[in-house]
Each structure stands twice: as C-alpha cells, then as structure tokens.
Coordinates of all heavy atoms in Angstrom, one line a residue:
M3 N -22.2 32.3 33.2 CA -23.3 33.0 32.7 C -24.5 33.1 33.8 O -24.9 32.0 34.3 CB -23.8 32.5 31.4 CG -24.9 33.2 30.8 SD -25.2 32.6 29.1 CE -26.8 33.1 28.9
N4 N -25.0 34.2 34.1 CA -26.0 34.4 35.1 C -27.4 34.1 34.5 O -27.6 34.5 33.3 CB -26.0 35.8 35.7 CG -24.8 36.1 36.5 OD1 -24.2 35.1 37.1 ND2 -24.4 37.3 36.7
P5 N -28.3 33.5 35.2 CA -29.6 33.3 34.7 C -30.3 34.6 34.5 O -30.0 35.6 35.2 CB -30.3 32.4 35.8 CG -29.5 32.6 37.0 CD -28.1 33.0 36.6
P6 N -31.3 34.7 33.6 CA -31.9 36.0 33.3 C -32.8 36.5 34.5 O -33.0 37.7 34.6 CB -32.8 35.7 32.1 CG -33.0 34.2 32.1 CD -31.8 33.6 32.8
F7 N -33.2 35.6 35.4 CA -34.1 36.1 36.5 C -33.4 35.6 37.8 O -32.7 34.6 37.8 CB -35.4 35.4 36.4 CG -36.2 35.8 35.2 CD1 -36.3 34.9 34.1 CD2 -36.8 37.0 35.1 CE1 -37.0 35.2 33.0 CE2 -37.5 37.4 34.0 CZ -37.6 36.5 32.9
P8 N -33.5 36.5 38.8 CA -32.9 36.1 40.1 C -33.5 34.8 40.6 O -34.7 34.6 40.5 CB -33.1 37.3 41.0 CG -34.0 38.2 40.3 CD -34.2 37.7 38.9
T9 N -32.7 34.0 41.2 CA -33.2 32.8 41.9 C -33.4 33.0 43.3 O -33.0 34.0 43.9 CB -32.2 31.6 41.7 OG1 -31.0 32.0 42.4 CG2 -31.9 31.4 40.2
H10 N -34.1 32.1 44.0 CA -34.3 32.2 45.4 C -33.0 32.4 46.2 O -32.9 33.1 47.1 CB -35.1 31.0 45.9 CG -35.4 31.0 47.4 ND1 -36.2 31.9 48.0 CD2 -34.9 30.3 48.4 CE1 -36.3 31.7 49.3 NE2 -35.5 30.7 49.6
A11 N -32.0 31.6 45.8 CA -30.7 31.7 46.5 C -30.1 33.1 46.4 O -29.3 33.5 47.2 CB -29.7 30.7 45.9
D12 N -30.4 33.8 45.3 CA -29.8 35.2 45.1 C -30.4 36.2 46.2 O -29.8 37.2 46.5 CB -30.2 35.8 43.7 CG -29.5 35.0 42.6 OD1 -28.4 34.4 42.9 OD2 -30.0 35.1 41.5
E13 N -31.5 35.8 46.8 CA -32.1 36.7 47.7 C -31.9 36.3 49.2 O -32.4 36.9 50.1 CB -33.6 36.8 47.5 CG -34.0 37.4 46.1 CD -35.5 37.4 45.9 OE1 -36.3 37.2 46.8 OE2 -35.8 37.7 44.7
E14 N -31.1 35.2 49.4 CA -30.8 34.8 50.7 C -29.6 35.6 51.2 O -28.6 35.8 50.5 CB -30.5 33.3 50.7 CG -31.8 32.5 50.5 CD -31.5 31.0 50.5 OE1 -30.4 30.6 50.8 OE2 -32.4 30.3 50.1
Y15 N -29.6 36.0 52.5 CA -28.6 36.7 53.1 C -28.2 36.1 54.4 O -29.1 35.4 55.0 CB -29.0 38.2 53.4 CG -29.4 38.9 52.1 CD1 -30.7 39.0 51.8 CD2 -28.4 39.5 51.3 CE1 -31.1 39.7 50.6 CE2 -28.8 40.2 50.1 CZ -30.2 40.3 49.8 OH -30.5 40.9 48.7
S16 N -27.0 36.2 54.8 CA -26.6 35.7 56.1 C -26.4 36.8 57.0 O -25.4 37.6 56.9 CB -25.3 34.9 55.9 OG -24.9 34.3 57.1
L17 N -27.4 37.1 57.9 CA -27.4 38.2 58.8 C -27.3 37.7 60.2 O -27.9 36.7 60.5 CB -28.6 39.1 58.6 CG -28.8 39.8 57.3 CD1 -30.2 40.5 57.2 CD2 -27.7 40.8 57.1
P18 N -26.7 38.5 61.1 CA -26.8 38.2 62.5 C -28.3 38.3 62.9 O -29.1 39.0 62.3 CB -26.0 39.2 63.2 CG -25.1 39.8 62.2 CD -25.8 39.6 60.9
P19 N -28.8 37.5 63.9 CA -30.2 37.5 64.3 C -30.8 38.9 64.5 O -31.9 39.2 64.1 CB -30.2 36.7 65.6 CG -29.0 35.8 65.5 CD -28.0 36.6 64.8
V20 N -30.1 39.8 65.2 CA -30.7 41.1 65.5 C -30.9 41.9 64.2 O -31.9 42.6 64.0 CB -29.9 41.9 66.5 CG1 -28.5 42.4 66.0 CG2 -30.7 43.1 67.0
E21 N -29.9 41.8 63.2 CA -30.0 42.5 61.9 C -31.1 41.8 61.1 O -31.8 42.5 60.4 CB -28.7 42.5 61.2 CG -27.7 43.3 61.9 CD -26.3 43.4 61.2 OE1 -26.3 42.9 60.0 OE2 -25.4 43.9 61.8
A22 N -31.3 40.5 61.2 CA -32.4 39.8 60.4 C -33.7 40.3 60.9 O -34.6 40.5 60.1 CB -32.2 38.3 60.6
L23 N -33.8 40.4 62.3 CA -35.1 40.9 62.8 C -35.4 42.4 62.4 O -36.5 42.7 62.1 CB -35.1 40.8 64.4 CG -36.3 41.3 65.1 CD1 -37.6 40.5 64.7 CD2 -36.1 41.1 66.6
L24 N -34.3 43.2 62.4 CA -34.5 44.6 61.9 C -34.9 44.6 60.5 O -35.8 45.4 60.1 CB -33.2 45.3 62.2 CG -33.2 46.8 61.8 CD1 -34.3 47.6 62.5 CD2 -31.9 47.5 62.1
A25 N -34.2 43.8 59.6 CA -34.5 43.8 58.2 C -36.0 43.3 58.0 O -36.7 43.9 57.1 CB -33.5 42.9 57.5
G26 N -36.4 42.3 58.7 CA -37.7 41.8 58.5 C -38.8 42.8 59.0 O -39.8 43.0 58.4
T27 N -38.4 43.6 60.0 CA -39.3 44.6 60.6 C -39.5 45.8 59.5 O -40.6 46.3 59.3 CB -38.8 45.2 61.9 OG1 -38.7 44.0 62.8 CG2 -39.8 46.2 62.5
L28 N -38.3 46.2 58.9 CA -38.4 47.2 57.9 C -39.2 46.8 56.7 O -40.0 47.6 56.2 CB -37.0 47.6 57.5 CG -36.1 48.3 58.5 CD1 -34.7 48.4 58.1 CD2 -36.7 49.6 58.9
A29 N -39.1 45.5 56.3 CA -39.9 45.0 55.2 C -41.4 45.0 55.6 O -42.2 45.4 54.8 CB -39.4 43.6 54.8
L30 N -41.7 44.6 56.8 CA -43.1 44.6 57.3 C -43.6 46.0 57.4 O -44.8 46.2 57.0 CB -43.1 43.9 58.6 CG -44.5 43.5 59.2 CD1 -45.3 42.6 58.2 CD2 -44.3 42.8 60.5
M31 N -42.8 47.0 57.8 CA -43.3 48.4 57.8 C -43.6 48.9 56.4 O -44.6 49.6 56.2 CB -42.2 49.2 58.5 CG -42.0 48.9 60.0 SD -40.5 49.6 60.7 CE -41.1 51.2 61.2
T32 N -42.8 48.5 55.5 CA -43.0 48.8 54.1 C -44.4 48.2 53.6 O -45.2 48.9 53.0 CB -41.9 48.4 53.2 OG1 -40.7 49.0 53.6 CG2 -42.1 48.7 51.7
G33 N -44.6 47.0 54.0 CA -45.8 46.3 53.6 C -47.0 47.0 54.2 O -48.1 47.2 53.6
C34 N -46.9 47.5 55.5 CA -48.0 48.2 56.1 C -48.3 49.5 55.4 O -49.5 49.9 55.2 CB -47.6 48.5 57.6 SG -47.7 47.1 58.7
A35 N -47.2 50.2 55.0 CA -47.4 51.5 54.3 C -48.1 51.3 52.9 O -48.8 52.2 52.5 CB -46.1 52.2 54.1
Q36 N -47.9 50.2 52.3 CA -48.4 49.9 51.0 C -49.7 49.1 51.0 O -50.3 48.9 50.0 CB -47.4 49.2 50.1 CG -46.1 50.0 49.9 CD -45.1 49.2 49.1 OE1 -45.1 48.0 49.0 NE2 -44.1 49.9 48.6
H37 N -50.1 48.7 52.2 CA -51.3 47.8 52.3 C -52.6 48.5 51.9 O -52.8 49.6 52.4 CB -51.4 47.2 53.7 CG -52.4 46.2 53.9 ND1 -53.7 46.5 54.2 CD2 -52.4 44.8 53.7 CE1 -54.4 45.3 54.3 NE2 -53.6 44.3 54.0
S38 N -53.4 47.9 51.1 CA -54.7 48.5 50.8 C -55.8 47.4 50.9 O -56.9 47.6 50.5 CB -54.7 49.0 49.3 OG -54.4 47.9 48.4
G39 N -55.5 46.3 51.6 CA -56.5 45.3 51.8 C -57.3 45.5 53.1 O -57.4 46.6 53.6
P40 N -57.9 44.4 53.6 CA -58.8 44.5 54.7 C -58.1 45.0 56.0 O -56.9 44.8 56.2 CB -59.2 43.0 55.0 CG -59.0 42.3 53.7 CD -57.9 43.1 53.0
V41 N -58.8 45.8 56.8 CA -58.2 46.4 57.9 C -57.7 45.4 58.9 O -56.6 45.6 59.5 CB -59.3 47.3 58.6 CG1 -58.8 47.9 60.0 CG2 -59.7 48.5 57.7
C42 N -58.4 44.3 59.0 CA -57.9 43.3 60.0 C -56.5 42.7 59.6 O -55.7 42.4 60.5 CB -58.9 42.1 60.1 SG -59.2 41.2 58.6
Q43 N -56.2 42.6 58.3 CA -54.9 42.2 57.9 C -53.9 43.2 58.3 O -52.8 42.9 58.8 CB -54.9 41.9 56.4 CG -55.6 40.6 56.0 CD -55.6 40.4 54.5 OE1 -55.1 41.3 53.8 NE2 -56.1 39.3 54.1
R44 N -54.2 44.5 58.1 CA -53.2 45.6 58.4 C -53.0 45.6 59.9 O -51.9 45.8 60.4 CB -53.8 46.9 57.9 CG -52.7 48.0 58.1 CD -53.1 49.3 57.4 NE -52.0 50.2 57.3 CZ -51.6 50.9 58.4 NH1 -52.1 50.8 59.5 NH2 -50.5 51.8 58.2
E45 N -54.1 45.4 60.7 CA -53.9 45.4 62.2 C -52.9 44.3 62.6 O -52.1 44.5 63.5 CB -55.3 45.1 62.9 CG -56.2 46.3 62.8 CD -57.6 46.0 63.4 OE1 -57.8 44.9 63.8 OE2 -58.4 47.0 63.5
L46 N -53.0 43.1 62.0 CA -52.1 42.0 62.3 C -50.7 42.4 62.0 O -49.7 42.2 62.7 CB -52.5 40.8 61.6 CG -53.8 40.1 62.0 CD1 -54.2 39.0 61.1 CD2 -53.7 39.6 63.5
M47 N -50.5 43.1 60.8 CA -49.2 43.5 60.4 C -48.6 44.5 61.3 O -47.4 44.5 61.8 CB -49.2 44.0 59.0 CG -49.5 42.9 57.9 SD -49.9 43.5 56.3 CE -48.6 44.6 55.9
V48 N -49.4 45.5 61.7 CA -49.0 46.6 62.6 C -48.6 46.0 64.0 O -47.7 46.4 64.6 CB -50.0 47.7 62.7 CG1 -49.7 48.7 63.8 CG2 -50.1 48.4 61.4
G49 N -49.5 45.0 64.4 CA -49.2 44.4 65.7 C -47.8 43.6 65.7 O -47.1 43.7 66.7
K50 N -47.5 43.0 64.6 CA -46.2 42.4 64.5 C -45.1 43.4 64.4 O -44.0 43.2 65.0 CB -46.2 41.5 63.2 CG -44.9 40.7 63.1 CD -44.7 39.7 64.3 CE -43.5 38.8 64.1 NZ -43.1 38.1 65.3
V51 N -45.3 44.5 63.8 CA -44.3 45.6 63.8 C -44.0 46.0 65.2 O -42.9 46.2 65.6 CB -44.7 46.8 62.9 CG1 -43.8 48.0 63.2 CG2 -44.7 46.4 61.4
V52 N -45.1 46.3 66.0 CA -44.9 46.7 67.4 C -44.2 45.7 68.2 O -43.2 46.0 68.9 CB -46.3 47.0 68.0 CG1 -46.2 47.2 69.5 CG2 -47.0 48.2 67.4
S53 N -44.5 44.4 68.0 CA -43.8 43.3 68.7 C -42.3 43.3 68.4 O -41.5 43.2 69.3 CB -44.5 42.0 68.3 OG -43.8 40.9 68.9
N54 N -42.0 43.4 67.1 CA -40.6 43.3 66.7 C -39.8 44.5 67.2 O -38.7 44.4 67.7 CB -40.5 43.3 65.1 CG -40.9 42.0 64.5 OD1 -41.3 41.0 65.2 ND2 -40.8 41.9 63.2
L55 N -40.4 45.7 67.1 CA -39.8 46.9 67.6 C -39.5 46.9 69.1 O -38.5 47.3 69.6 CB -40.5 48.2 67.2 CG -40.6 48.6 65.7 CD1 -41.5 49.7 65.5 CD2 -39.2 48.9 65.2
T56 N -40.5 46.3 69.8 CA -40.3 46.2 71.3 C -39.2 45.2 71.6 O -38.4 45.5 72.5 CB -41.7 45.7 71.9 OG1 -42.7 46.7 71.6 CG2 -41.6 45.5 73.4
E57 N -39.2 44.1 70.9 CA -38.1 43.1 71.1 C -36.7 43.8 70.7 O -35.7 43.6 71.5 CB -38.3 41.9 70.2 CG -37.3 40.8 70.5 CD -37.6 39.5 69.7 OE1 -38.7 39.3 69.3 OE2 -36.6 38.7 69.6
L58 N -36.7 44.5 69.6 CA -35.4 45.1 69.3 C -35.0 46.2 70.3 O -33.8 46.4 70.6 CB -35.5 45.8 67.9 CG -35.5 44.8 66.7 CD1 -36.1 45.5 65.4 CD2 -34.1 44.3 66.5
A59 N -36.0 46.9 70.8 CA -35.7 48.0 71.8 C -35.1 47.4 73.1 O -34.5 48.1 73.9 CB -36.9 48.7 72.2
Q60 N -35.2 46.1 73.3 CA -34.7 45.5 74.5 C -33.4 44.6 74.2 O -32.9 44.0 75.1 CB -35.7 44.6 75.2 CG -37.0 45.4 75.6 CD -38.1 44.5 76.0 OE1 -38.0 43.3 75.9 NE2 -39.2 45.1 76.4
H61 N -33.0 44.7 73.0 CA -31.9 43.8 72.6 C -30.5 44.3 73.1 O -30.2 45.5 72.8 CB -31.8 43.6 71.1 CG -31.1 42.4 70.6 ND1 -29.7 42.3 70.7 CD2 -31.6 41.2 70.2 CE1 -29.4 41.1 70.3 NE2 -30.5 40.4 70.0
P62 N -29.8 43.5 73.8 CA -28.5 44.0 74.4 C -27.4 44.3 73.4 O -26.4 45.0 73.7 CB -28.1 42.9 75.4 CG -28.8 41.7 74.9 CD -30.1 42.2 74.2
A63 N -27.5 43.8 72.2 CA -26.5 44.0 71.2 C -26.5 45.4 70.6 O -25.6 45.8 69.9 CB -26.5 42.9 70.1
L64 N -27.6 46.1 70.8 CA -27.8 47.4 70.2 C -27.4 48.5 71.2 O -27.5 48.3 72.4 CB -29.2 47.6 69.7 CG -29.7 46.6 68.7 CD1 -31.2 46.8 68.4 CD2 -29.0 46.8 67.4
S65 N -27.0 49.6 70.7 CA -26.5 50.7 71.5 C -27.8 51.3 72.3 O -28.9 51.1 71.8 CB -25.9 51.8 70.7 OG -26.8 52.4 69.9
T66 N -27.5 51.9 73.4 CA -28.6 52.6 74.1 C -29.4 53.6 73.3 O -30.6 53.5 73.3 CB -28.0 53.2 75.4 OG1 -27.4 52.2 76.2 CG2 -29.1 53.9 76.2
P67 N -28.7 54.5 72.5 CA -29.5 55.4 71.7 C -30.4 54.7 70.7 O -31.5 55.1 70.4 CB -28.4 56.3 71.0 CG -27.2 56.2 71.9 CD -27.3 54.8 72.5
M68 N -29.9 53.6 70.1 CA -30.7 52.8 69.1 C -31.9 52.2 69.8 O -33.0 52.2 69.3 CB -29.8 51.8 68.4 CG -30.5 51.0 67.4 SD -31.0 52.1 66.0 CE -31.4 50.9 64.8
R69 N -31.6 51.6 71.0 CA -32.8 51.0 71.8 C -33.8 52.1 72.1 O -35.0 51.8 72.1 CB -32.2 50.3 73.0 CG -31.4 49.0 72.6 CD -31.2 48.1 73.8 NE -30.8 48.8 75.0 CZ -29.5 48.9 75.5 NH1 -28.6 48.3 74.8 NH2 -29.3 49.5 76.6
V70 N -33.4 53.3 72.5 CA -34.3 54.3 72.8 C -35.1 54.7 71.6 O -36.4 54.8 71.6 CB -33.6 55.6 73.4 CG1 -34.5 56.8 73.5 CG2 -33.0 55.3 74.8
L71 N -34.5 54.8 70.4 CA -35.1 55.2 69.2 C -36.2 54.1 68.8 O -37.3 54.4 68.5 CB -34.1 55.3 68.1 CG -34.7 55.5 66.7 CD1 -34.6 56.9 66.2 CD2 -34.1 54.6 65.7
L72 N -35.8 52.8 69.0 CA -36.7 51.7 68.6 C -37.9 51.7 69.6 O -39.0 51.4 69.2 CB -35.9 50.4 68.6 CG -34.9 50.2 67.5 CD1 -34.0 49.1 67.8 CD2 -35.7 50.1 66.2
G73 N -37.6 52.0 70.9 CA -38.7 52.1 71.8 C -39.7 53.2 71.5 O -40.9 53.0 71.6
R74 N -39.2 54.3 71.0 CA -40.1 55.4 70.6 C -40.9 55.0 69.4 O -42.1 55.3 69.2 CB -39.3 56.7 70.4 CG -38.8 57.3 71.6 CD -38.0 58.5 71.4 NE -37.5 59.1 72.6 CZ -36.5 59.9 72.7 NH1 -35.9 60.3 71.6 NH2 -36.2 60.4 73.9
L75 N -40.2 54.3 68.4 CA -40.9 53.9 67.2 C -42.0 52.9 67.6 O -43.1 52.9 67.0 CB -39.9 53.2 66.2 CG -39.1 54.1 65.4 CD1 -38.1 53.3 64.6 CD2 -40.0 54.9 64.4
S76 N -41.7 52.0 68.5 CA -42.7 51.0 69.0 C -43.9 51.7 69.5 O -45.1 51.3 69.2 CB -42.1 50.1 70.0 OG -43.0 49.2 70.5
S77 N -43.7 52.8 70.3 CA -44.8 53.5 70.9 C -45.7 54.2 69.8 O -46.9 54.2 69.9 CB -44.3 54.6 71.9 OG -43.7 54.0 73.0
R78 N -45.0 54.7 68.8 CA -45.7 55.4 67.7 C -46.5 54.4 66.9 O -47.7 54.6 66.5 CB -44.8 56.1 66.8 CG -44.3 57.4 67.5 CD -43.4 58.2 66.6 NE -42.9 59.4 67.3 CZ -42.8 60.5 66.8 NH1 -43.0 60.7 65.5 NH2 -42.3 61.5 67.5
W79 N -45.9 53.2 66.6 CA -46.7 52.2 65.9 C -47.8 51.6 66.7 O -48.8 51.2 66.2 CB -45.7 51.1 65.4 CG -45.0 51.5 64.2 CD1 -43.9 52.2 64.0 CD2 -45.5 51.2 62.8 NE1 -43.6 52.4 62.7 CE2 -44.6 51.8 61.9 CE3 -46.6 50.4 62.3 CZ2 -44.7 51.7 60.5 CZ3 -46.7 50.3 60.9 CH2 -45.8 50.9 60.1
L80 N -47.7 51.6 68.0 CA -48.8 51.1 68.9 C -49.9 52.1 68.8 O -51.1 51.7 68.7 CB -48.3 51.1 70.4 CG -49.2 50.4 71.4 CD1 -49.6 49.0 71.0 CD2 -48.6 50.5 72.7
L81 N -49.7 53.4 68.7 CA -50.8 54.4 68.4 C -51.4 54.1 67.0 O -52.6 54.2 66.9 CB -50.2 55.8 68.4 CG -49.8 56.3 69.8 CD1 -49.1 57.7 69.6 CD2 -50.9 56.4 70.8
E82 N -50.6 53.7 66.1 CA -51.1 53.4 64.7 C -52.0 52.2 64.8 O -53.0 52.1 64.1 CB -49.9 53.1 63.8 CG -50.3 52.7 62.4 CD -50.9 53.8 61.6 OE1 -50.7 55.0 61.9 OE2 -51.7 53.5 60.6
L83 N -51.7 51.2 65.7 CA -52.6 50.1 65.8 C -53.9 50.5 66.3 O -54.9 50.0 65.9 CB -51.9 49.1 66.8 CG -52.6 47.8 67.0 CD1 -52.8 47.0 65.7 CD2 -51.9 46.9 68.1
G84 N -54.0 51.5 67.2 CA -55.3 52.0 67.7 C -56.0 52.7 66.6 O -57.3 52.5 66.5
S85 N -55.4 53.4 65.8 CA -56.1 54.2 64.7 C -56.4 53.3 63.6 O -57.3 53.6 62.8 CB -55.2 55.4 64.3 OG -54.1 54.9 63.6
A86 N -55.7 52.1 63.4 CA -56.1 51.2 62.4 C -57.5 50.6 62.6 O -58.2 50.3 61.6 CB -55.0 50.1 62.3
A87 N -57.9 50.5 63.8 CA -59.2 49.9 64.1 C -60.3 50.9 64.0 O -61.4 50.6 63.9 CB -59.1 49.3 65.5
A88 N -59.9 52.2 64.1 CA -60.9 53.3 64.1 C -61.4 53.5 62.6 O -60.5 53.6 61.7 CB -60.4 54.6 64.7
P89 N -62.7 53.7 62.4 CA -63.1 54.0 61.0 C -62.6 55.3 60.5 O -62.5 56.3 61.3 CB -64.6 53.9 61.1 CG -64.9 54.0 62.5 CD -63.8 53.6 63.3
T90 N -62.2 55.4 59.3 CA -61.7 56.7 58.7 C -62.9 57.4 58.1 O -63.9 56.8 57.8 CB -60.6 56.4 57.7 OG1 -61.1 55.6 56.7 CG2 -59.4 55.8 58.3
A91 N -62.7 58.7 57.8 CA -63.8 59.5 57.2 C -64.2 58.9 55.9 O -63.4 58.5 55.1 CB -63.3 60.9 57.0
G92 N -65.5 58.9 55.7 CA -66.0 58.3 54.4 C -66.3 56.8 54.4 O -66.9 56.3 53.5
M93 N -65.8 56.1 55.5 CA -66.1 54.7 55.5 C -67.4 54.4 56.2 O -67.8 55.1 57.1 CB -65.0 54.0 56.3 CG -63.6 53.9 55.6 SD -62.4 53.0 56.6 CE -63.1 51.4 56.7
M94 N -68.1 53.5 55.6 CA -69.4 53.1 56.2 C -69.1 52.1 57.4 O -68.3 51.2 57.2 CB -70.2 52.3 55.2 CG -70.7 53.2 54.0 SD -71.9 54.4 54.5 CE -73.3 53.4 54.9
P95 N -69.7 52.4 58.6 CA -69.5 51.4 59.7 C -70.2 50.1 59.4 O -71.1 50.0 58.6 CB -70.1 52.1 60.9 CG -71.1 53.1 60.3 CD -70.5 53.5 58.9
L96 N -69.6 49.1 59.9 CA -70.2 47.7 59.8 C -71.6 47.7 60.5 O -71.7 48.3 61.6 CB -69.3 46.6 60.3 CG -68.0 46.4 59.5 CD1 -67.2 45.4 60.3 CD2 -68.3 46.0 58.1
P97 N -72.6 47.0 60.0 CA -73.8 46.9 60.7 C -73.6 46.2 62.1 O -72.7 45.3 62.2 CB -74.7 46.1 59.8 CG -73.8 45.5 58.8 CD -72.6 46.3 58.8
E98 N -74.5 46.5 63.0 CA -74.4 45.8 64.3 C -74.8 44.4 64.2 O -75.6 44.0 63.3 CB -75.3 46.5 65.3 CG -74.8 47.9 65.7 CD -75.7 48.4 66.8 OE1 -76.3 47.6 67.6 OE2 -75.8 49.6 66.9
H99 N -74.2 43.6 65.0 CA -74.4 42.1 65.0 C -75.8 41.9 65.6 O -76.2 42.4 66.6 CB -73.4 41.4 65.8 CG -73.7 39.9 66.0 ND1 -73.5 39.1 64.9 CD2 -74.1 39.2 67.0 CE1 -73.8 37.8 65.3 NE2 -74.2 37.9 66.6
R100 N -76.6 41.1 64.9 CA -78.0 40.8 65.3 C -78.0 39.3 65.6 O -77.5 38.5 64.8 CB -79.0 41.2 64.3 CG -79.1 42.7 64.1 CD -80.2 43.0 63.2 NE -80.2 44.4 62.9 CZ -81.0 45.0 62.0 NH1 -81.9 44.3 61.4 NH2 -80.9 46.3 61.8
T101 N -78.7 38.9 66.6 CA -78.9 37.5 66.9 C -80.1 37.0 66.1 O -81.2 37.6 66.1 CB -79.2 37.3 68.4 OG1 -78.1 37.9 69.1 CG2 -79.3 35.8 68.7
L102 N -79.9 35.9 65.4 CA -81.0 35.3 64.6 C -81.9 34.5 65.5 O -81.4 33.8 66.4 CB -80.4 34.4 63.5 CG -79.6 35.1 62.4 CD1 -79.0 34.0 61.5 CD2 -80.4 36.1 61.7
Q103 N -83.2 34.6 65.3 CA -84.1 33.8 66.1 C -84.8 32.8 65.3 O -85.1 32.9 64.2 CB -85.1 34.7 66.8 CG -84.3 35.7 67.8 CD -85.4 36.5 68.5 OE1 -86.6 36.3 68.5 NE2 -84.8 37.5 69.2

C-alpha cells in the first residue's frame, strides 16, 4: 500500500551528471519565471542559470547542435541579467545613499 503523500525518496532520481545539471537548470529557470520577490534574489537565480547554461554549452557529452543552442540560451539569459537590474516602468527608484555625519 502506497502512502497518501509522496515521500522524499519518491522524488529522488538517478541521473547522469549532465542530465542532473540540465534538470536543475530547467527547474531554476521555472523559478525565475515565477519569482515575484526581491530583485536581488532574482538576479542571483538568473546568474546561476547563466552559469549552468554556460557549463552545459561546453560539456563534451552533448552534441554540437545542443551545445550551440545552450550557448545561445546562455547569451539570452545574460541579457536578462542586465535587465533584471534595470528598474521597470512604474517602479520607484531607491533613494541615493547618503553619508551620515
């Protein structure tokens, strides 16, 4: 008889390292798309996506077309990292830092 709720062991998978990195990157990309918290947290997540995609784009176990695709995705996410730091329309800019005397 199966337990009514999935256990931690039910969610464990045995993947080759390159597939585990790809799966983790896809999960992180989903998290970025759904993120509504502080911008600095999203920037960290996007930075990790870029890092993972760059690593995958250089992985010898993947085909050349797949590595090219991952390299292009990395470049696009790198642009996203730049726009994540830019204020969006309707957002109030943070006040300038003032030195207390």
Side-chain angles (χ1 to χ4, degrees):
M3 182 169 155
N4 291 336
F7 299 104
T9 64
H10 178 68
D12 293 337
E13 295 180 10
E14 292 180 6
Y15 302 97
S16 183
L17 296 173
V20 69
E21 290 181 13
L23 181 57
L24 182 56
T27 304
L28 292 172
L30 192 56
M31 292 166 89
T32 301
C34 287
Q36 296 174 345
H37 188 269
S38 61
V41 172
C42 63
Q43 289 177 354
R44 187 168 192 288
E45 286 176 356
L46 292 172
M47 291 168 52
V48 171
K50 185 61 177 169
V51 167
V52 171
S53 174
N54 287 2
L55 289 172
T56 301
E57 185 175 341
L58 285 164
Q60 299 170 0
H61 202 287
L64 299 174
S65 69
T66 299
M68 183 64 165
R69 290 194 315 258
V70 169
L71 174 104
L72 291 165
R74 288 179 180 160
L75 280 173
S76 177
S77 296
R78 288 184 182 217
W79 276 86
L80 189 58
L81 292 173
E82 179 68 24
L83 185 60
S85 67
T90 57
M93 288 182 63
M94 294 290 293
L96 293 175
E98 290 186 28
H99 175 72
R100 295 183 185 178
T101 305
L102 296 176
Q103 295 183 13

